[in-house]
Amino acid sequence: MNGWLFAAATLLVCGVAPALWGVATGPLRRRVVAQNLATLLVCLALLLLAQGYGRPSAYTDLALVLALLGPVGSLVYARLLADDLADDPPHSSRTTWPAIAATALVVLPLCVVTGPGRATAKLLVIGALLVAGNVVASRALDDPAPEAAPHD
């Protein structure tokens, strides 16, 4: 087991497992935030596994798809559950900065190890998607019921 695989295993056990517990239990506001966090952590674990196993094409492509679809899932939940979340709104802004820091702590070392090229560009795109998706999803979850425009 190399350091990349150890980091991925640690992230899965110490990050994803508690996030999945949060998805499965507790109030709705915690479940939605935990789902968003779990998606981010699984994506980062896939990037670490790609480096650890030396198979960047398989795992990195999965991470790219997850980086695109994960925040979309959070936005769908925020839209569909807006009435329920309005009564007890989530506080997802607490996880935004730690999520950005975790993304940087995983993506930047992988970029350094990978060296210049298409793989590094793909890692940077995945990192940017994770950060942007987390910020957008956090803002949507913090304000799940936008004001409706008045009708004339």
Side-chain angles (χ1 to χ4, degrees):
M1 175 180 271
N2 60 33
W4 300 109
L5 294 176
F6 180 75
T10 302
L11 186 63
L12 288 170
V13 171
C14 297
V16 176
L20 290 178
W21 178 79
V23 169
T25 63
L28 180 62
R29 65 186 174 108
R30 185 175 74 198
R31 290 179 184 199
V32 175
V33 173
Q35 180 269 334
N36 190 39
L37 182 62
T39 302
L40 171 96
L41 295 174
V42 168
C43 188
L44 294 176
L46 285 171
L47 293 176
L48 291 168
L49 289 171
Q51 184 66 33
Y53 287 127
R55 299 189 60 195
S57 61
Y59 293 102
T60 307
D61 290 344
L62 286 173
L64 179 60
V65 170
L66 192 58
L68 287 169
L69 295 180
V72 172
S74 296
L75 294 175
V76 168
Y77 282 136
R79 178 72 176 138
L80 292 175
L81 302 173
D83 294 337
D84 297 329
L85 290 174
D87 297 336
D88 190 17
H91 302 290
S92 61
S93 58
R94 295 177 191 164
T95 61
T96 301
W97 288 108
I100 291 171
T103 302
L105 286 172
V106 170
V107 171
L108 294 178
L110 288 172
C111 288
V112 169
V113 169
T114 303
R118 283 181 44 202
T120 301
K122 189 185 272 189
L123 286 170
L124 290 173
V125 166
I126 292 170
L129 285 171
L130 288 173
V131 168
N134 198 309
V135 168
V136 169
S138 293
R139 292 192 61 171
L141 291 174
D142 283 342
D143 187 22
E147 295 296 322
H151 292 44
D152 292 328

